[in-house]
Amino acid sequence: MTSSTLMIAGYIIFPVIIILLFNKYKWAQKIGTVILAYAVGIIIALLNTAAGFLPTEGAPAYDTFSSIQSTLMSVCVPLAIPLMLFNSDFKLWTKSLKKTLIALVGGIFAVCVAIVLGYVVFKNVGYGTEDEFKKVAVMMTGIYTGGTLNFTALSNIVHADPNTYNITLAFEEIVTLPLIIFIMAGGYKIFRKLMPAKDETTLDNENELDKVAEGTFENYRGMLQLHTFGRMMLGLLLSIGMLAIGAGLSLLIVGKINELIVILTITTLAIIASFSKKIRELPKTFELGMFFILIFSIVVATKFDITKIDSSSLTIMWFILFALVVSMVIYIIICRCFKVSGDLFTASYISLLCSPPFVPPVVEAIGNRKVLISGIAIGLVGYAVGNYLGSIFATILGLPLF
């Protein structure tokens, strides 16, 4: 069996192992599946740099191996987007806080302003070409409104270099992870003092809170049970159908497959589909979508080339740190002015920066379950709008999308 065949099998096997670890061990749950997948890919890439066990450019098997990698990268995210949105109950807005809308709009505004300012400050400092740094800014718009899902989707839309993708994601995790640890270790108390308004809620039913907290995100148990698996596959067929529609529209409009048209089409169709109770209740579609994201994460991470990291790459880290700090300051000011509580700020900010799966453990740490649904709702809308915002920003920056 060739090294290429083993590696391709690994793209399927490693996500399964990660899911098994996530199900069994709390340390894996705290780290998160995406970070674990990314770590696996980086380790493989570093070992390959040292030992050279994967096909290199010019080798007989390189073209086939590279083609399979490209196919997996092109297919996994478009399949994942609908699957991860199907279970999203956007009707949560009718049940959650009145100030949730303020928290959402304020958070997105703060992030967008911070990224624009960061781009202006750092665009001439020196990472790659001007267009490549524009792509970094666009991808950061996605990850800070919808998490890794939108980050990867926008990387496809703007055709970001895989190494730029890896470096940006690595620095984003380096910058953001300490913030999460700080909050869960007691930092939320500072936000309570800065924003002392009281929480309000329209949810008095504790069972409803439990339903949102348990099993909403990344509960992989029971995926292979016959009844569950069959209905989950129905969700996959719907996702494939939406991908086909997006590809068909792209061919009709521009005469070729265009990532922007495909991704925005499937995002829109998935949001519409999520309002159907039958589709929303299809089991484990979010988890199946995450499985495709894990495959994508490992594939992209294995393309990481440490030899391409130089002093100019630090520009990305400073840009991300700048965006994080500035967006937080702006968001705190907005929440303070509109009397949004410190706990709602915490839940919504983490949801936007890191995605909804991070909300339940953060809410558990701060001890205020009243903000759980609001935080999740904000993250779900972030999933939905992140690709649109990133595409608009890319257009403003003059990046070719067609």
Side-chain angles (χ1 to χ4, degrees):
M1 188 177 289
T2 65
S3 59
S4 297
T5 305
L6 285 172
M7 193 65 247
I8 292 165
Y11 289 145
I12 307 298
I13 294 170
F14 281 124
V16 173
I17 294 173
I18 289 169
I19 289 171
L20 292 174
L21 291 173
F22 183 84
N23 282 341
K24 188 172 182 179
Y25 298 106
K26 285 194 175 294
W27 62 263
Q29 295 168 11
K30 290 181 179 180
I31 295 173
T33 53
V34 172
I35 294 178
L36 286 172
Y38 185 70
V40 167
I42 289 293
I43 291 170
I44 292 171
L46 293 176
L47 292 175
N48 183 55
T49 300
F53 54 82
L54 292 179
T56 56
E57 192 168 354
Y62 176 77
D63 289 342
T64 300
F65 181 62
S66 179
S67 176
I68 292 172
Q69 285 183 313
S70 298
T71 300
L72 287 172
M73 291 169 59
S74 299
V75 170
C76 283
V77 173
L79 285 178
I81 290 173
L83 288 167
M84 296 176 75
L85 287 175
F86 284 158
N87 289 154
S88 302
D89 189 357
F90 292 100
K91 294 178 182 177
L92 285 173
W93 284 105
T94 64
K95 301 177 180 179
S96 56
L97 306 176
K98 293 180 181 179
K99 291 183 180 178
T100 303
L101 183 60
I102 296 174
L104 169 70
V105 175
I108 291 177
F109 174 79
V111 165
C112 290
V113 169
I115 290 174
V116 170
L117 289 176
Y119 169 74
V120 172
V121 170
F122 293 99
K123 66 177 181 178
N124 295 320
V125 174
Y127 175 77
T129 64
E130 184 178 350
D131 276 358
E132 200 62 26
F133 192 72
K134 288 178 181 179
K135 294 173 183 178
V136 172
V138 170
M139 290 190 293
M140 287 307 302
T141 304
I143 201 168
Y144 276 177
T145 53
T148 308
L149 175 68
N150 290 3
F151 180 82
T152 52
L154 287 167
S155 73
N156 287 343
I157 288 174
V158 298
H159 308 290
D161 182 89
N163 217 55
T164 299
Y165 174 97
N166 281 312
I167 292 171
T168 305
L169 186 59
F171 283 140
E172 191 278 330
E173 290 169 354
I174 290 170
V175 169
T176 307
L177 186 59
L179 173 65
I180 299 172
I181 295 171
F182 165 74
I183 288 173
M184 297 183 73
Y188 60 88
K189 296 176 183 178
I190 297 175
F191 299 137
R192 284 178 176 173
K193 290 182 178 180
L194 292 173
M195 294 157 283
K198 292 184 178 180
D199 289 308
E200 305 166 2
T201 182
T202 57
L203 274 177
D204 299 318
N205 187 345
E206 288 293 312
N207 291 330
E208 196 160 6
L209 284 167
D210 290 335
K211 184 178 178 182
V212 175
E214 298 176 5
T216 303
F217 300 108
E218 294 200 78
N219 181 0
Y220 296 97
R221 292 180 176 84
M223 287 182 70
L224 298 181
Q225 292 179 357
L226 187 60
H227 179 65
T228 298
F229 184 80
R231 297 179 66 204
M232 183 178 69
M233 287 298 101
L234 178 58
L236 178 59
L237 288 175
L238 286 172
S239 183
I240 293 172
M242 291 178 181
L243 176 56
I245 292 172
L249 281 176
S250 177
L251 291 171
L252 186 64
I253 294 171
V254 297
K256 60 180 182 179
I257 299 297
N258 177 268
E259 286 82 357
L260 173 67
I261 296 173
V262 172
I263 288 174
L264 294 188
T265 298
I266 61 179
T267 300
T268 303
L269 291 175
I271 293 170
I272 294 171
S274 72
F275 284 91
S276 166
K277 185 177 180 180
K278 290 184 178 180
I279 292 177
R280 195 167 60 248
E281 292 182 350
L282 289 173
K284 306 299 180 183
T285 60
F286 184 92
E287 288 78 4
L288 183 59
M290 281 299 301
F291 178 73
F292 286 114
I293 289 295
L294 297 183
I295 294 175
F296 177 90
S297 299
I298 294 176
V299 173
V300 173
T302 55
K303 296 172 76 68
F304 177 65
D305 186 355
I306 194 171
T307 62
K308 292 185 178 179
I309 293 182
D310 52 27
S311 58
S312 67
S313 302
L314 294 177
T315 302
I316 296 178
M317 186 181 74
W318 296 124
F319 166 59
I320 294 170
L321 183 60
F322 178 92
L324 182 72
V325 173
V326 172
S327 65
M328 181 186 294
V329 171
I330 294 173
Y331 197 19
I332 288 173
I333 293 171
I334 292 172
C335 289
R336 172 96 183 189
C337 290
F338 287 93
K339 296 183 178 179
V340 174
S341 73
D343 287 355
L344 178 54
F345 162 88
T346 302
S348 58
Y349 194 52
I350 289 298
S351 192
L352 286 172
L353 260 61
C354 306
S355 78
F358 286 81
V359 176
V362 168
V363 167
E364 181 181 351
I366 68 178
N368 183 1
R369 297 170 72 234
K370 289 183 178 181
V371 299
L372 175 65
I373 289 180
S374 295
I376 289 176
I378 287 170
L380 293 179
V381 176
Y383 274 149
V385 304
N387 290 336
Y388 300 106
L389 287 173
S391 300
I392 292 170
F393 191 32
T395 303
I396 293 172
L397 291 177
L399 287 172
L401 302 180
F402 295 95

